[in-house]
Amino acid sequence: MTDQGPAVIPALVFDGERVSVLVGGSVTAGRFTVGGAGVVIGPAGMVIIAEASDAPARSGVWSAEEVRLIGPAPAPVTERLMGSPWGADESSLPIHIAVRLGEEVLYLGTAQVSQAGTSDGVLTDCELRLEAPLSRELLNRVRPPLPPVDLPGLEWLRHVNGDRAAALEQFVTGWYPAGDTTESPSTYSPSRLPGGLRQLYQLAKQRPGALGTQNSILPEPDLHTDHLGEMLVFGVENQGGFFWSLLWTLDGPEADPTVWFREFDEEPIAEQEPLSGFLIQFSLFEASMGADYLALPNRLTAPQVEQLTQALHLVPLRPFWPWAPTHFYVAPGLVVRVSSEGGEEFDVWAGATHRSALDPLADLPVDWTRFDG
């Protein structure tokens, strides 16, 4: 990957005395633990000392550019990172990052808050961007790789233009771990719904993520017709900007109906794939959007897209989404979507179930805005 920004600085071993200097006071005055990381607060700054770990649920180094603090965080930490509501804003004071490696602590530099989440005023998670990215060698020290895992396979791909129900089931069950079975009341008789929707709802009983993360397939009780009673609305954008629907009749459903995309009060546009292909495309789109590990480049040219996708498999379906026609490329545990409104510059988003699934993209000469590999 291509690093941008300030030059990489070497990690420095430091001790409690240096921590005191960085925070401007005693290291015992404002010491807290947040998600397994030690946090020391003083009048001159904050020091976060994380453990060397790649566990997603613990605070630590996430990538060469990003450190994550996993809450809940006590009030002094929340106020320092997000700004005090009572006037004095100390959130601009420097945030120093270090990682404990056995008996030594490596100082990695300073960082700035890039994103944070709260619940009832309590910091639940915080992403901090390092002002100088880490070298790959140093990253591997302070974020030891997770043990190898079995990545979701591509058996489903050979069924895409044959048995699409099998393709959908194999992709969803391979990508999402099974959880507790959930039951929801049905407003519409199962016989009134196309087989593809019935299948997705059945899969979502144990894998709710199958209904979407960014956009969503409505839960069965929330299905409804449009204001004219002509279309059955079954999918919506996360902010309500557009929706997907099927032609609704009193007769039995079509086996594989046309899916209609509609923005606000504009005329509906037919998706290029019928419901069977649309549900595979929807599942791929949402899997990439909701993945724990992402690779996001700046807009790419056609030759760059060709280079990025040459080691991947194209999903053989017509383009998804009329707004910005989108194709999907896959590898084990990896979904890459490529879209373009004009055909000259392309938006690319890659999502993976595990860091190792991003390996095919790691050495490409691409300017990444985020790379979790």
Side-chain angles (χ1 to χ4, degrees), residues 66-77:
E66 184 180 314
V67 175
R68 291 187 176 181
L69 200 63
I70 306 299
V77 176

Side-chain angles (χ1 to χ4, degrees), residues 109-123:
T110 55
Q112 295 183 345
V113 175
S114 61
Q115 185 174 322
T118 62
S119 176
D120 297 326
V122 175
L123 184 73

Side-chain angles (χ1 to χ4, degrees), residues 100-249:
R100 186 179 302 280
L101 295 174
E103 297 299 318
E104 67 177 4
V105 176
L106 296 186
Y107 177 68
L108 304 183
T110 55
Q112 295 183 345
V113 175
S114 61
Q115 185 174 322
T118 62
S119 176
D120 297 326
V122 175
L123 184 73
T124 56
D125 57 275
C126 183
E127 297 177 6
L128 302 113
R129 192 165 188 84
L130 289 163
E131 295 185 1
L134 306 179
S135 67
R136 175 58 63 173
E137 179 183 2
L138 180 55
L139 178 62
N140 288 338
R141 290 184 66 193
V142 299
R143 191 203 66 185
L146 287 168
V149 298
D150 291 329
L151 297 172
L154 298 180
E155 294 81 4
W156 60 273
L157 193 58
R158 62 189 177 91
H159 297 299
V160 166
N161 281 321
D163 187 348
R164 288 183 171 177
L168 179 64
E169 179 177 6
Q170 289 177 10
F171 175 76
V172 169
T173 56
W175 190 273
Y176 298 101
D180 295 332
T181 300
T182 60
E183 296 286 347
S184 58
S186 176
T187 303
Y188 293 84
S189 167
S191 63
R192 300 282 301 278
L193 297 177
L197 272 182
R198 295 201 306 270
Q199 179 193 20
L200 188 64
Y201 287 135
Q202 187 66 32
L203 291 169
K205 288 181 179 179
Q206 287 190 320
R207 297 168 170 86
L211 295 184
T213 301
Q214 175 74 10
N215 308 314
S216 62
I217 301 297
L218 292 173
E220 201 170 346
D222 295 337
L223 294 173
H224 60 274
T225 55
D226 66 3
H227 65 287
L228 297 177
E230 297 176 347
M231 309 294 289
L232 178 67
V233 177
F234 73 94
V236 295
E237 192 253 350
N238 64 338
Q239 296 181 342
F242 59 82
F243 59 89
W244 289 285
S245 60
L246 306 171
L247 185 64
W248 183 247
T249 70

